[in-house]
Amino acid sequence: MSIDPSQNVSSASRELANDIIQRVAKLVSEAEAETKPLELDPYRSQLFELFVMADAAGFVSADADIDLTADNLCRELAKHWELASATQDAVESQAKLPPEQLSKMRILWSVLRLWMEWDYAWKRWEEFHPSDRS
């Protein structure tokens, strides 16, 4: 997995984005190996920390130079796991998705949902926690 090097961003930003993607993929693999849902700790906490890192770096925005919004993060993970070709092969052969790919697809939905929920809450934080309370 890698962020497009043609993007006009520093190599440090690209490295950080790639590191976040790799760490999310590793975390997902660990959760799968333990047959534990991402929604439970320690996986949820670790994934949230990666979300916070991505947000602090300015990556959780569709107009950022490096876009690690939920959609783009999941797109990167799907590329890494070759889910598009597996899905296309299953459709073309009118067969079920292989169990390993189906498992990746399910956990990808979990990543997508959690990342989107945190992004939504993060963006609305000030609305519910005004800094000038009297």
Side-chain angles (χ1 to χ4, degrees), residues 57-68:
F59 300 154
V60 186
S61 172
D63 58 352
D65 288 333
I66 295 177
D67 178 353
L68 286 185

Side-chain angles (χ1 to χ4, degrees), residues 5 8 11 14 17 20 24 28 30 32 34 42 47 61 65 67 71 74 90 97 106 108 111 113 118 120 124-125 134:
N8 189 23
S11 63
R14 271 195 299 277
I20 290 170
V24 170
V28 165
E30 289 171 8
E32 269 188 313
E34 295 291 322
L47 185 61
S61 172
D65 288 333
D67 178 353
D71 289 341
C74 289
L97 205 54
R106 285 186 178 127
L108 192 61
V111 171
R113 185 182 52 75
W118 294 327
Y120 179 78
R124 297 198 64 196
W125 177 263
S134 307

Side-chain angles (χ1 to χ4, degrees), residues 73-130:
L73 173 64
C74 289
R75 191 173 295 117
E76 289 290 327
L77 294 170
K79 270 194 266 182
H80 177 69
W81 296 320
E82 300 176 355
L83 290 177
S85 61
T87 304
Q88 185 176 355
D89 292 347
V91 169
E92 287 174 1
S93 64
Q94 296 181 343
K96 291 183 179 179
L97 205 54
E100 181 182 312
Q101 302 293 359
L102 185 58
S103 174
K104 290 287 191 208
M105 192 73 79
R106 285 186 178 127
I107 209 158
L108 192 61
W109 280 107
S110 292
V111 171
L112 177 73
R113 185 182 52 75
L114 288 166
W115 207 266
M116 286 174 61
E117 288 175 358
W118 294 327
D119 184 41
Y120 179 78
W122 221 245
K123 284 181 171 75
R124 297 198 64 196
W125 177 263
E126 286 299 318
E127 183 179 341
F128 295 96
H129 299 86

Side-chain angles (χ1 to χ4, degrees), residues 31-46:
E32 269 188 313
E34 295 291 322
T35 62
K36 305 272 185 184
L38 279 175
E39 292 82 358
L40 298 178
D41 282 329
Y43 308 108
R44 178 182 57 186
S45 295
Q46 292 172 18

